[in-house]
Amino acid sequence: SQKIEQNSEALNIQEGKTATLTCNYTNYSPAYLQWYRQDPGRGPVFLLLIRENEKEKRKERLKVTFDTTLKQSLFHITASQPADSATYLCALDTSGGSYIPTFGRGTSLIVHP
Amino acid sequence: DGGITQSPKYLFRKEGQNVTLSCEQNLNHDAMYWYRQDPGQGLRLIYYSQIVNDFQKGDIAEGYSVSREKKESFPLTVTSAQKNPTAFYLCASRASGAYEQYFGPGTRLTVT
């Protein structure tokens, strides 16, 4: 079956450290992968998109990598802050470049001061 | 101020009643989506519309209906046929040619 896996356990880190979240997938060949941030009780907010031919994308303190051989994306937040605490969702194209991404369940990040 | 709005934020209904959730956007986006989110679950697609007067079923359309009479509006009706309607409902929109979706604040529906 086709699956998108994000760690269901919360990631706890200390302020100032780099947070790394993982998104693994099976049986897809996505044309792109996206990362969203979701705060409790609110809608997700788009952060970054990376295409299949890109290895890495950066935006301020955020960095996303995409390894289509390993079928994995890593999402890094450098110099993390308590305000970065949220759930982070990955979403990927599961039908050949369509505009209907499939979302993972998300991983909760907690940054301790 | 451009954005996507959903109302109300909280909605309570008795079992057996239909209820309509509002979604409005002034981003001039062609595509709109409805998702359902349950605790510990990813977003599941209910319906989507790529253009006015056209919409398609998503993965969990049973018990739901939509309309897209205006570009700005994509209301979702949760019918009495939906067996487990209590959930957090999210509406999103997308510009033509772009992949990123813009989400509304969500409506939390509780049916008792």
Side-chain angles (χ1 to χ4, degrees), chain B residues 3-107:
Chain B
I4 181 165
T5 58
Q6 292 184 244
S7 61
K9 188 163 180 64
Y10 298 97
L11 193 52
F12 299 87
R13 280 293 183 271
K14 294 288 187 187
E15 196 173 312
Q17 293 178 336
N18 291 355
V19 59
T20 298
L21 281 59
S22 166
C23 178
E24 303 279 331
Q25 54 99 359
N26 61 3
L27 299 167
N28 200 32
H29 288 173
D30 285 315
M32 297 186 75
Y33 304 78
W34 273 106
Y35 294 92
R36 169 184 174 138
Q37 188 174 37
D38 295 283
Q41 301 278 337
L43 277 62
R44 292 187 289 167
L45 183 65
I46 304 172
Y47 268 97
Y48 65 99
S49 168
Q50 308 271 37
I51 198 166
V52 175
N53 292 321
D54 188 46
F55 49 83
Q56 283 78 41
K57 293 181 180 180
D59 301 318
I60 56 166
E62 185 175 348
Y64 300 98
S65 67
V66 293
S67 63
R68 187 84 190 278
E69 296 175 2
K70 297 188 299 181
K71 188 175 186 177
E72 304 78 21
S73 179
F74 192 39
L76 173 75
T77 297
V78 184
T79 75
S80 55
Q82 168 50 232
K83 296 193 187 321
N84 297 296
T86 293
F88 187 49
Y89 290 88
L90 288 159
C91 179
S93 68
R94 178 185 59 78
S96 289
Y99 289 113
E100 62 266 30
Q101 297 188 13
Y102 291 79
F103 284 84
T107 292

Side-chain angles (χ1 to χ4, degrees), chain A residues 3-74:
Chain A
K3 285 202 304 189
I4 300 169
E5 293 181 349
Q6 294 187 258
N7 197 338
S8 57
E9 289 186 18
L11 176 64
N12 286 272
I13 65 167
Q14 285 298 125
E15 183 175 8
K17 301 292 187 185
T18 295
T20 298
L21 305 175
T22 305
C23 178
N24 294 303
Y25 59 93
T26 59
N27 298 332
Y28 297 129
S29 295
Y32 65 88
L33 188 146
Q34 304 176 61
W35 284 89
Y36 289 80
R37 169 185 172 139
Q38 186 175 24
D39 290 286
R42 305 187 72 168
V45 175
F46 171 76
L47 296 174
L48 280 167
L49 176 146
I50 188 165
R51 297 177 188 273
E52 60 179 336
N53 60 348
E54 298 175 315
K55 296 291 185 190
E56 182 179 297
K57 204 83 169 278
R58 291 176 185 262
K59 179 183 175 183
E60 298 171 352
R61 294 185 296 112
L62 309 180
K63 184 178 86 170
V64 173
T65 63
F66 194 10
D67 189 324
T68 55
T69 301
L70 290 179
K71 294 188 180 295
Q72 179 182 80
S73 174
L74 299 179

